Amino acid sequence: MSMEVVPALSSFPHFTLPNTNPKPTIISSNLQVLLWRSPLMNAQLNHSYSKRRGCISVVGASRRSLWSQFSNSYDRCNLELGKCIGRLRKFMNSSEKMRKHVSSTLFTRFVVSVLMVSFAVSNSPSWALNEENLLFLEAWRTIDRAYVDKTFNGQSWFRYRENALRNEPMNTREETYTAIKKMLATLDDPFTRFLEPEKFKSLRSGTKSAVTGVGLSIGYPTAPDGSPAGLVVISAAPGGPANRAGILSGDIILAINDTSTDSMGIYDAADRLQGSEGSSVELTIRSGQEIKHLALTREKVSLNPVKSRLCVIPGSGKDSPRIGYIKLTTFNQNASGAIREAINTLRNDNVNAFVLDLRDNSGGLFPEGIEIAKIWLDKGVIVYICDSRGVRDIYDTDGSSALATSEPLAVLVNKGTASASEILAGALKDNKRAVLFGEPTFGKGKIQSVFQLSDGSGLAVTVARYETPDHTDIDKVGVIPDHPLPRSFPKDEEGFCSCLQDPASTCYVNRGQLFAR
């Protein structure tokens, strides 16, 4: 099963969000998170940063920066020969830095080549660039620089640009958006998508503390023959409208307000599921062999990411096992802080072991997943970020952010555990910090970044894939747990404690089993 996870209402997909700061944001001495804006908006992204080499190539940055300045001016030129030559002269007069790094012969060839291209293009009036063309080029450059597959699905990316500018209508904003979507479709990557301004704004709202909707995280399933089969429910927010209506992980949404989801995109579906508080939405759901027609009332769904409680297991007096149960439902901007608070609160109750429940957590902010891993690990690799050439970056920890590294730890996972949750679960398992219980996780091993374009729209772009510390690629496979859980094992904190306390329960797991490898 291959899916794209998008939290329609309750959580956020595995994205690194853009930042207005043009430089990479360094969260700690050993963690770099790139929070990108569009390359056209931010020429400083041209610098060459190498974490493994520990240096910045100043010479390379100067060359690329100069070229970027000329390239952007060139794109904005009306492509009339006189204007282009004027721009070229201005560029040449201010290019002393480039001449120092490029031989006079090469520089002359470069100038002649540009003049030839300018002359050739000037004879084609259909190539005069307007504002819509420039927006298309902005999107094209974003993919050119950030997309993980540098073969671009086996096509010439430059040739596609030239053909699109010649042949695709781009006279209105709607036509430009259509041209961008058509371009992205050639990549055959369901995770790389265009977002109109409202959808881009809606997507970013998933990092906030609450949204208005029915509390569903949804994704794309693939039927055995490869054809779409509606939209799959990854998880339902505990206590939300969908959860109260009995919608479960793995259920299929067949229709929203009588509109079939067969060809519906997940962002379109998310828009349809959200709405004003108190309004209603009708869903057609397939749960197993049963078809359900449900009318749900939208409400503000809290995204408080953490619930916790103390479970005291019957024993002998003060030696009774005291387990701190922590359920993490999403990786929003409050997640790592909430985990720290829960650990400190439970320690005040003298817990001697922890259980971290990641079931039905469909992911969220990548940096929060890294920060939470650091809480539990005293040292070690958290995740490898890879591209087509191999390992590109290593996220690890030296223990400076650690809080709970000594107590026994069990992690609960299921098929609704996805994305950032899988990074966390894989890190804790491979570093032998925790024992995993449950079923194989969802299997989303790709990383997307969100880039904002100059008109307020955006691109969600697959920029890398990741491997666990043991170099396991979990894409479409998932993280494999150490032990299964009883089928009747509950998902709420009250039910969890009862399963540890009552040996006669069908879901009973004793403390020794819970933390044994």
Side-chain angles (χ1 to χ4, degrees):
M1 179 182 291
S2 174
M3 310 181 191
E4 177 181 6
V5 181
V6 157
L9 306 158
S10 64
S11 59
F12 196 76
H14 188 171
F15 291 131
T16 300
L17 288 178
N19 192 325
T20 55
N21 184 355
K23 297 180 180 179
T25 297
I26 307 299
I27 289 182
S28 71
S29 60
N30 58 357
L31 172 64
Q32 182 198 39
V33 180
L34 292 177
L35 304 177
W36 289 313
R37 294 184 74 187
S38 160
L40 186 60
M41 300 169 64
N42 205 340
Q44 285 176 303
L45 281 178
N46 291 319
H47 70 198
S48 174
Y49 176 81
S50 173
K51 182 173 180 180
R52 284 168 287 179
R53 295 176 182 173
C55 65
I56 295 178
S57 175
V58 179
V59 173
S62 299
R63 292 177 185 172
R64 278 185 290 273
S65 180
L66 286 169
W67 167 251
S68 179
Q69 292 169 26
F70 173 72
S71 179
N72 289 340
S73 295
Y74 186 80
D75 283 339
R76 284 170 171 77
C77 179
N78 285 327
L79 297 180
E80 297 173 8
L81 183 57
K83 291 185 179 181
C84 286
I85 292 176
R87 289 185 183 276
L88 181 58
R89 285 172 178 165
K90 184 177 179 181
F91 171 73
M92 291 168 62
N93 291 334
S94 61
S95 59
E96 292 301 323
K97 291 182 179 179
M98 175 176 277
R99 296 183 196 182
K100 292 178 181 179
H101 301 294
V102 183
S103 70
S104 59
T105 302
L106 289 177
F107 189 77
T108 302
R109 289 178 181 174
F110 165 73
V111 171
V112 171
S113 298
V114 172
L115 283 172
M116 291 175 66
V117 171
S118 299
F119 181 78
V121 173
S122 68
N123 291 319
S124 176
S126 64
W127 270 58
L129 299 183
N130 57 31
E131 182 180 353
E132 301 304 322
N133 298 144
L134 295 176
L135 181 62
F136 175 84
L137 286 172
E138 187 179 349
W140 180 90
R141 276 200 199 91
T142 301
I143 300 298
D144 181 53
R145 294 176 181 176
Y147 192 57
V148 63
D149 176 15
K150 294 309 177 184
T151 72
F152 302 98
N153 196 30
Q155 64 181 317
S156 169
W157 199 235
F158 287 93
R159 184 173 297 138
Y160 185 91
R161 179 190 67 178
E162 307 306 309
N163 290 338
L165 288 173
R166 283 192 183 99
N167 303 320
E168 294 295 332
M170 296 183 213
N171 299 309
T172 66
R173 189 53 46 95
E174 192 60 36
E175 287 180 344
T176 304
Y177 286 170
T178 299
I180 293 173
K181 292 175 184 178
K182 186 175 179 180
M183 173 181 69
L184 299 181
T186 66
L187 299 173
D188 195 25
D189 177 2
F191 297 101
T192 296
R193 293 186 163 261
F194 175 74
L195 306 168
E196 288 88 351
E198 284 303 312
K199 291 183 180 180
F200 180 76
K201 182 179 178 181
S202 172
L203 189 66
R204 296 189 67 178
S205 72
T207 64
K208 309 302 180 184
S209 59
V211 291
T212 302
V214 297
L216 285 175
S217 293
I218 58 176
Y220 286 130
T222 300
D225 62 355
S227 60
L231 298 171
V232 69
V233 173
I234 304 304
S235 63
N243 177 259
R244 296 197 303 270
I247 296 178
L248 304 173
S249 298
D251 286 354
I252 301 297
I253 303 174
L254 300 176
I256 302 174
N257 286 334
D258 296 326
T259 300
S260 172
T261 61
D262 279 350
S263 58
M264 186 182 295
I266 50 178
Y267 298 115
D268 184 16
D271 287 342
R272 293 170 184 268
L273 290 171
Q274 295 184 65
S276 58
E277 188 171 6
S279 62
S280 63
V281 59
E282 295 183 357
L283 302 182
T284 303
I285 303 289
R286 184 174 71 232
S287 184
Q289 299 301 314
E290 182 183 2
I291 303 295
K292 301 178 181 178
H293 299 279
L294 303 173
L296 305 180
T297 300
R298 298 182 179 97
E299 61 186 51
K300 185 166 287 188
V301 180
S302 174
L303 297 181
N304 181 13
V306 170
K307 292 183 178 181
S308 63
R309 67 157 295 166
L310 171 68
C311 294
V312 180
I313 312 302
S316 54
K318 293 182 180 181
D319 294 330
S320 297
R322 303 171 69 84
I323 297 176
Y325 172 85
I326 300 174
K327 185 173 184 65
L328 178 63
T329 58
T330 185
F331 290 79
N332 66 8
Q333 60 192 11
N334 306 318
S336 59
I339 289 286
R340 287 183 178 277
E341 183 179 347
I343 290 173
N344 288 327
T345 299
L346 291 168
R347 276 186 168 165
N348 290 336
D349 292 326
N350 300 313
V351 299
N352 46 38
F354 287 103
V355 172
L356 178 62
D357 193 346
L358 298 178
R359 291 175 296 172
D360 296 330
N361 183 329
S362 60
L365 294 175
F366 175 75
E368 287 297 297
I370 299 297
E371 289 302 302
I372 293 172
K374 289 183 174 184
I375 290 172
W376 301 99
L377 295 171
D378 57 0
K379 62 179 180 179
V381 172
I382 297 171
V383 66
Y384 294 104
I385 306 301
C386 307
D387 56 22
S388 57
R389 293 165 292 185
V391 174
R392 190 181 78 190
D393 269 313
I394 302 173
Y395 292 86
D396 56 9
T397 181
D398 59 4
S400 59
S401 300
L403 179 62
T405 63
S406 58
E407 296 93 343
L409 175 64
V411 176
L412 311 184
V413 298
N414 67 0
K415 61 185 177 182
T417 303
S419 200
S421 291
E422 293 175 291
I423 288 179
L424 177 57
L428 296 177
K429 178 186 178 183
D430 287 1
N431 282 286
K432 297 180 171 50
R433 174 64 186 93
V435 183
L436 266 60
F437 281 82
E439 57 188 356
T441 62
F442 175 75
K444 182 176 184 292
K446 291 184 172 65
I447 297 174
Q448 286 73 44
S449 284
V450 175
F451 298 83
Q452 183 175 358
L453 301 179
S454 56
D455 74 330
S457 62
L459 297 174
V461 182
T462 300
V463 297
R465 61 181 177 84
Y466 71 82
E467 296 177 355
T468 69
D470 283 350
H471 287 288
T472 301
D473 183 352
I474 61 95
D475 195 48
K476 301 181 182 179
V477 177
V479 178
I480 309 301
D482 299 298
H483 306 289
L485 277 175
R487 187 175 296 274
S488 58
F489 204 85
K491 293 183 179 180
D492 63 286
E493 58 269 29
E494 294 293 335
F496 168 81
C497 287
S498 66
C499 287
L500 299 184
Q501 294 166 342
D502 183 9
S505 171
T506 57
C507 63
Y508 177 69
V509 176
N510 67 46
R511 182 180 183 278
Q513 290 176 316
L514 195 60
F515 300 104
R517 296 192 181 280

